[in-house]
Structure formats: structure tokens, C-alpha cells
Amino acid sequence: MAMLKKKKEASKQNLLSKQLKEGTDKAFAEHEEKRQAASEVKSAQHAVDESERHADYRTEYDAVVGLEAGENTTRTLWSDAWGRLRRNKLAIIGAVWILIMVLVALTADLWAPQMLGSPTAIESQDMASLSLLPPSLQHPFGTDMLGRDVLCRVVYGARISLAVGLLATAISSLIGLVMGALAAFYGGIWDTIIMRLADIFLAFPYTLFVIVMLAVLGSGIQNVFIAIGILGWPSIARVFRSAILSVKENDYVDAARSMGASDRRIIGRHIFPNSVASVVVYATMNIGGAILTESALSYLGMGVTPPNPSWGAMIQDGQAYLATEPWLMLMPGLAILTTVLAFTLLGDGLRDALDVKMKDA
């Protein structure tokens, strides 16, 4: 009886062990299947991630190298600068306004006299009825004390202001480039003489110095060009000298000199192109300063001779009517403000665009 009981217990123990083993084997098999499935999914996802990462890398590489559809594009300082300048909205607004002013001034003869009348002629018979009219559809900026259309005179005054700004800045830039190049490249006695001469020019108040020169040369628009152009070179020479001193220490300049390149070739091919960017920025901003100087001289009666229109002279004529007819001063004043601001914004944008250390270059 005891033996039979032991056999039953042993048989029951064996059955339990067999069931436990089968359950363990089944669970292990299921675990292996899940692990393999997860491994395959992870491998597939890794392959997808690697493919996407490679595509992103390729896109960035093409953008950096400049390859688009298998075409090579050449990157230069000026092309990169233009790309950065286009993204500067204020600089573009300034450039657009300058273009509008230039086009309006150049084409004034084609439409202004027919629509607004002469900017200088005085109609003695109708002067009483046309004098000091407020702004209207027929005269958008009103009329002055002699019955002349203020808008027409502002348009023709833009010719004088823009011409003075551009030509005077061109003269001062040309002189400043030559003097700055001589001082920086040769140094020594040339540097001492030119920089001390620049110090003498800068020691005098600028507007007072221009007035003294005009007192010697005489009034007139051509003398305004000369006076502002000649007296504006020291600051440009200093800027260009500083740029050259930093560029001439580069290795490619020493390499060109060691290969026997002449001074003219080194300046023209290596130093000047890499130094002129700062002068372009400064000259652009200097145009606005020249316009302000011409307006101040005309306001003082030493600029454009009447009856030729000038923004400064128009402000001087209208100051007596400021309380009753403010448009006589407001309209030419706004023309000066917007034009000078446009050149300042453009120069500021050029400064940022020509900076080769910009992160988005």
C-alpha cells in the first residue's frame, strides 16, 4: 500500500515537472520570437534614420559647395554680399527710395513742367492768385510765396542735392583712396606727411572750413562740389589706410612679393580688392553727409544761386511762414530727411553684407 502511494506521488511529480518544462520552453520560445522581431524593427528604423541623415547631410553639402543639379556656382565676396544685402529689408527699402529719387530727378523735364509748371519762372499776372496755396490735387505740396509749385521745386532740388552728394563723395573718395594707399603701403615718411596733413584738415570745423573755401572760390554749385570733395578726403584716407595695414600682413601678399610681383600689381590685384569694401560702406554713408552740407550752405545763402531750387534754400525761404504755411519748410525738410536716411540705411546694410565673418556667409 505504501509502495503504491509512493508511485502515485512520483508519477504526479514527474507530470508537474514535465508541464513546467514545457511551459518554460514555450515562454522562452515566445521571448525569442519577440526579441528577434524587435531587433528586425530596430534595424529597419536605424536604416531609415541613416538614410534620412544621409539625405540631410547631402542637402547641406550641396548648399555649402554650391552644387545645384550638378552645376558649379562660383562664390565671391560680392555675390555673398548681395545675398546678405537682399535679406536686409531696411537696406533694400533705402536702395529702392534712392532709385526712385534718382529716376524722378532724371526724368523731371519729361513731366514736371507740363504737370506742375516751371520751377523757376514767375507768372507775374497770376502770382497773387497762386501765392501760398495749401496742398491740393493740383499742387500736392502747395505753392510758395511767388506762386511756384513746391513739389516741382523739390523734384528739381533733388537734382542738385543728389549731384552734390555723388560728385563730392566721388572726389573725396578718389583723393582719399590715393592718399590712404600711399600712407599705408609705403609707410615711413609718406605715412607721416599724409597723416599729419589729414590731422590739419580734421582740426578745423568741417562746415566752417567749407564756408571759408567758398568765400575764397565764390558761390556756385561747381565750387560746392570742389569744397565738399576736397575737404572730405581725410576721413576716407584714414579708413582705407587702416584696411590696407590689416590686409598687407596676410601671407598671400608676402607670397606675391616673394614671386617678384611689382608694387603696382600687389596693390591692384591683392590689397585694393580686399580693402575697398570698408571704403564703399563709408562713402555710401558720406553721401548723406554731403547732402546735408549742401543744404546747410544753401540755407546760409552760399550754395546754389537763386532762382535755382535747392532744398536748403527752400527751407530758408519758408522759415518766415512756418506758423501759417508750414508746408514751405516741411516738404523740402522731409525730402532731406528721407534721402539722407535712405543712404544711411543702405550704408549700414552694406557694412553688414560686406562683413566676411558673418555666420551665414
Side-chain angles (χ1 to χ4, degrees):
M1 192 71 179
M3 292 292 296
L4 181 60
K5 188 176 181 180
K6 289 183 180 180
K7 287 182 180 180
K8 286 182 179 181
E9 289 179 357
S11 176
K12 187 177 180 180
Q13 187 69 29
N14 292 335
L15 181 61
L16 291 175
S17 299
K18 184 178 180 180
Q19 290 177 350
L20 180 62
K21 182 178 180 182
E22 290 177 355
T24 303
D25 293 341
K26 184 178 180 181
F28 180 78
E30 291 177 354
H31 174 73
E32 282 295 320
E33 290 178 0
K34 292 181 180 180
R35 187 183 64 80
Q36 291 179 3
S39 177
E40 292 177 358
V41 171
K42 185 176 179 180
S43 299
Q45 183 64 35
H46 178 72
V48 172
D49 293 342
E50 286 296 323
S51 178
E52 292 178 354
R53 190 178 296 109
H54 176 74
D56 294 339
Y57 173 78
R58 184 66 187 182
T59 302
E60 295 177 0
Y61 176 80
D62 291 343
V64 173
V65 177
L67 299 176
E68 184 66 27
E71 296 180 359
N72 292 326
T73 57
T74 302
R75 293 183 60 184
T76 63
L77 171 64
W78 302 106
S79 63
D80 288 344
W82 170 241
R84 288 191 291 268
L85 183 63
R86 286 184 301 176
R87 294 191 291 271
N88 191 325
K89 295 181 179 180
L90 291 178
I92 294 299
I93 292 174
V96 170
W97 180 250
I98 292 170
L99 290 177
I100 292 174
M101 293 293 294
V102 171
L103 290 176
V104 168
L106 291 178
T107 61
D109 292 335
L110 301 178
W111 58 274
Q114 293 80 2
M115 297 176 60
L116 305 172
S118 173
T120 57
I122 301 173
E123 298 292 340
S124 58
Q125 296 179 351
D126 301 329
M127 185 176 67
S129 60
L130 295 176
S131 176
L132 300 176
L133 294 178
S136 62
L137 292 177
Q138 186 177 1
H139 302 286
F141 286 6
T143 60
D144 63 3
M145 68 290 300
L146 299 177
R148 297 170 298 191
D149 188 88
V150 176
L151 174 58
C152 186
R153 289 178 61 80
V154 169
V155 169
Y156 278 90
R159 288 185 169 184
I160 302 298
S161 296
L162 291 175
V164 169
L166 293 173
L167 293 179
T169 302
I171 293 173
S172 59
S173 298
L174 180 62
I175 299 175
L177 289 175
V178 174
M179 303 294 275
L182 291 175
F185 188 78
Y186 291 105
I189 188 64
W190 285 102
D191 188 16
T192 302
I193 293 175
I194 293 174
M195 288 299 100
R196 298 298 76 77
L197 182 62
D199 292 338
I200 294 174
F201 274 80
L202 293 174
F204 291 92
Y206 179 72
T207 304
L208 181 61
F209 209 167
V210 174
I211 293 175
V212 170
M213 287 198 65
L214 289 178
V216 175
L217 299 175
S219 60
I221 189 63
Q222 67 278 2
N223 292 333
V224 173
F225 292 153
I226 297 173
I228 297 178
I230 290 178
L231 297 180
W233 71 267
S235 54
I236 294 181
R238 283 183 173 276
V239 172
F240 195 47
R241 172 180 175 271
S242 300
I244 291 179
L245 289 176
S246 62
V247 170
K248 67 180 292 188
E249 302 298 329
N250 291 325
D251 294 337
Y252 56 82
V253 176
D254 295 335
R257 184 178 288 108
S258 64
M259 295 176 65
S262 62
D263 291 345
R264 180 182 300 178
R265 181 176 178 83
I266 293 175
I267 294 175
R269 293 292 299 274
H270 301 287
I271 294 180
F272 184 82
N274 293 286
S275 306
V276 74
S278 58
V279 177
V280 171
V281 174
Y282 190 85
T284 303
M285 293 185 174
N286 205 31
I287 295 174
I291 292 175
L292 286 176
T293 302
E294 184 276 328
S295 300
L297 294 173
S298 297
Y299 178 85
L300 296 174
M302 303 188 67
V304 179
T305 56
N308 295 318
S310 170
W311 291 342
M314 292 176 66
I315 293 177
Q316 195 275 336
D317 294 337
Q319 67 177 351
Y321 303 90
L322 178 60
T324 56
E325 287 82 21
W327 61 84
L328 295 179
M329 291 185 63
L330 182 61
M331 300 309 177
L334 286 176
I336 296 174
L337 173 64
T338 54
T339 304
V340 174
L341 179 61
F343 278 106
T344 303
L345 292 176
L346 179 59
D348 189 65
L350 287 174
R351 180 193 61 192
D352 295 337
L354 292 172
D355 186 2
V356 296
K357 297 181 180 179
M358 292 291 288
K359 293 181 179 180
D360 58 344

